[in-house]
């Protein structure tokens, strides 16, 4: 019951734009086989400041490119976020294959 009450309060707080975070945006990453999380209900799906990266590594293939090039591209996008110091997003989520080469 206490947990449900907490999430009710949190949802109410977020709906009234009560977050004190300076940027109300989402950074979303897909290594290729999945899609990005929708920004709503936390944020507007129409807000251009939300980030969605959809990688090209799909069904264990990489289109006409080498699989290694897809891994390298995914890693570059993810590393840029990881090492960035700007406060551009409030919420981060990523979906990637759990194979040893994905982010090595």
């Amino acid at each position: 019951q206490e947990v449900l009450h907490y999430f009710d309060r949190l949802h109410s707080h977020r709906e009234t734009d009560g977050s004190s975070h300076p940027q109300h945006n989402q950074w979303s990453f897909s290594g290729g086989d999945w899609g990005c999380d929708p920004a709503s209900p936390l944020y507007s799906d129409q807000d251009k400041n939300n980030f969605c990266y959809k990688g090209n590594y799909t069904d264990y293939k990489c289109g006409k490119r080498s699989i290694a090039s897809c891994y390298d591209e995914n890693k570059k996008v993810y590393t840029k976020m990881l090492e960035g110091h700007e406060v551009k997003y409030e919420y981060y989520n990523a979906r990637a294959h759990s194979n040893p080469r994905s982010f090595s």
Side-chain angles (χ1 to χ4, degrees):
Q1 194 65 4
E2 185 177 331
V3 171
L4 292 175
H5 180 65
Y6 166 79
F7 282 110
D8 284 343
R9 285 189 358 249
L10 178 62
H11 180 69
S12 174
H13 179 71
R14 296 301 288 278
E15 276 189 323
T16 58
D17 202 28
S19 174
S20 62
H21 195 277
Q23 296 294 327
H24 294 226
N25 302 307
Q26 171 179 274
W27 185 94
S28 192
F29 176 97
S30 166
D33 274 336
W34 304 280
C36 296
D37 278 355
S40 65
L42 293 178
Y43 314 104
S44 167
D45 284 319
Q46 280 70 48
D47 189 336
K48 302 290 186 221
N49 291 317
N50 293 316
F51 176 84
C52 172
Y53 172 78
K54 296 178 185 172
N56 296 311
Y57 182 71
T58 306
D59 293 328
Y60 302 99
K61 299 179 193 93
C62 189
K64 296 180 182 193
R65 300 180 310 163
S66 72
I67 289 177
S69 71
C70 278
Y71 286 156
D72 291 342
E73 183 181 329
N74 287 351
K75 183 178 178 181
K76 182 177 161 186
V77 170
Y78 191 83
T79 303
K80 182 178 178 184
M81 176 279 302
L82 190 64
E83 294 176 350
H85 297 288
E86 289 183 276
V87 179
K88 295 168 92 176
Y89 306 98
E90 179 180 28
Y91 179 69
Y92 294 81
N93 68 75
R95 297 174 179 161
H97 288 277
S98 59
N99 62 56
R101 177 71 172 91
S102 289
F103 289 110
S104 60

